[in-house]
Amino acid sequence: MLNKIGLLCLGLLFFGVINTANAVVINQTLNQTTQGELLNYNFTSLPGSDGTDGFITVASGPGDTFDLSTDNDEYFDLIFDGTTAGRYTCQNDVPGGIDLGCGGSSSLNTFSLVLSFSDIFTDFAIDIPGLIADGSLTIGVDFGPQVNPGFNGSTNQLDVTLAYNSNVPEPGTIALLGLGLAGLGFARKKKA
């Protein structure tokens, strides 16, 4: 009987040690209110990454359209803690621009850009998990000088989502770890 209790406790302890990932999904929304504006999304109090791939999504808000299509000054640069990671546009005519594949008319566009941490590292040599390690990350969206905030004086909503697995254990994992340790202590005390 004692061996079964000890094995059960070891199993709970092992499960608690290997099950430490916790999903982190944080969304922030800002509004573009002026032409050519820089929007900074400041993510703070972030737990460290567990090293698996995560994602960053930049998307136009529900029902909002952006003027990103008709000339070379209609684009946005994506910036991670001060380092630029590409120029994005809805047309192929922006020098060095990455086409977003926007939906909409020639001047009103909706978009959703999804970048994995590994793609950001491969394409731009930016280590997002390394940047998150200090507990914060600033994602900048710097609109080109001709990108208007909307038509008829309106504003445009832009959503940025950060999603990854953290290396901080879930409360249930900590409870299992504690239960496993307590059970091992109890089994050892009973044996003596």
Side-chain angles (χ1 to χ4, degrees), residues 1-10 179-192:
M1 178 71 171
L2 186 58
N3 286 338
K4 289 180 183 179
I5 292 174
L7 286 174
L8 176 64
C9 292
L10 276 174
L179 185 61
L181 287 172
L184 282 176
F186 176 74
R188 185 175 187 135
K189 184 177 179 182
K190 197 163 192 168
K191 188 176 182 180

Side-chain angles (χ1 to χ4, degrees), residues 63-142:
D64 285 327
T65 56
F66 287 78
D67 187 11
L68 292 171
S69 61
T70 57
D71 67 38
N72 288 347
D73 291 330
E74 293 182 344
Y75 59 84
F76 66 85
D77 292 333
L78 197 54
I79 305 165
F80 298 104
D81 280 354
T83 303
T84 300
R87 176 161 288 177
Y88 300 86
T89 181
C90 291
Q91 294 290 329
N92 294 322
D93 59 356
V94 174
I98 300 166
D99 190 352
L100 290 167
C102 299
S105 70
S106 63
S107 62
L108 298 174
N109 299 281
T110 60
F111 63 90
S112 180
L113 171 66
V114 179
L115 296 171
S116 70
F117 290 1
S118 58
D119 288 342
I120 294 168
F121 184 76
T122 300
D123 296 342
F124 307 106
I126 298 173
D127 178 22
I128 299 298
L131 295 177
I132 291 172
D134 71 354
S136 67
L137 177 66
T138 298
I139 300 174
V141 179
D142 191 7

Side-chain angles (χ1 to χ4, degrees), residues 24-84:
V24 175
V25 179
I26 304 169
N27 183 66
Q28 290 187 13
T29 299
L30 293 175
N31 290 315
Q32 179 197 14
T33 58
T34 61
Q35 189 168 330
E37 186 173 9
L38 168 63
L39 300 177
N40 279 318
Y41 297 79
N42 297 306
F43 295 90
T44 58
S45 302
L46 297 173
S49 170
D50 72 351
T52 59
D53 212 6
F55 295 91
I56 294 172
T57 303
V58 179
S60 51
D64 285 327
T65 56
F66 287 78
D67 187 11
L68 292 171
S69 61
T70 57
D71 67 38
N72 288 347
D73 291 330
E74 293 182 344
Y75 59 84
F76 66 85
D77 292 333
L78 197 54
I79 305 165
F80 298 104
D81 280 354
T83 303
T84 300

